[in-house]
Amino acid sequence: MEINLTRVDQDYHFEARGAANVAINIDANPEIGGHNEGARPMELMLMGLGGCSAIDIISILKKQRQPIDSFDINIKAERQKVQEFNLFSTIHIHFKLGGQLDEDKVRRAIELSLEKYCSVAAILYKTATIKHSFEIV
C-alpha cells in the first residue's frame, strides 16, 4: 500500500492520494492555523472505521441475499490525553440500514465486521472501547 501527500498551502492543507488516485483533502483545526479545507487526521481514522465496517457488512449481507436499500453510519468518539497523544477512548457506531432485512443477519454481520474482519477496528480496539447499535428502517 502506498499513499502520497502533497502540501497545498503554506499551512496544514494537504492533498492525499492512494491506489485509486482519488484526492482526499486533509487540514488542521483553525485553532492551530488550519483553514477547514479538509478532514482532520483523526476524523479520517473514524471515516476509515465506518468505511471498513460498511464494506464488510455489505459483503456479508450480499452473500446472504439480504437486499440493502440504504445504509447510513453515524460515529461518535471521545478522546483522552495519554502522554502527549489525544487517543480515542470510546467510539460508538450507529448503523442505519434500509430494506427488507433480517434483523438477526444484520446483527451478526455487524458483529463479524467489528470483531473479526475490520482491520481498522482491530487497530482502534487497542486504545478504545468500541460499541455499536443499529436500526433497520
Side-chain angles (χ1 to χ4, degrees), residues 48-129:
L49 174 62
C52 181
S53 61
I55 290 168
D56 291 340
I57 292 163
I58 290 169
S59 177
I60 293 165
L61 292 176
K62 275 187 170 189
K63 289 175 186 169
Q64 297 176 341
R65 293 180 168 65
Q66 295 291 298
I68 303 169
D69 296 333
S70 62
F71 194 167
D72 296 297
I73 302 171
N74 176 268
I75 303 174
K76 294 180 181 175
E78 298 291 326
R79 293 169 69 184
Q80 69 179 25
K81 192 160 191 73
V82 177
Q83 297 173 1
E84 293 82 28
F85 307 106
N86 290 318
L87 302 176
F88 290 120
S89 56
T90 59
I91 299 170
H92 183 265
I93 309 170
H94 181 73
F95 300 95
K96 186 175 177 181
L97 294 92
Q100 297 297 314
L101 299 164
D102 181 297
E103 185 173 332
D104 290 331
K105 289 181 179 182
V106 170
R107 178 181 292 106
R108 184 67 181 140
I110 292 169
E111 289 170 356
L112 283 169
S113 173
L114 294 176
E115 296 170 11
K116 185 174 183 180
Y117 297 120
C118 179
S119 301
V120 179
I123 291 167
L124 290 171
Y125 272 126
K126 297 192 182 297
T127 64
T129 300

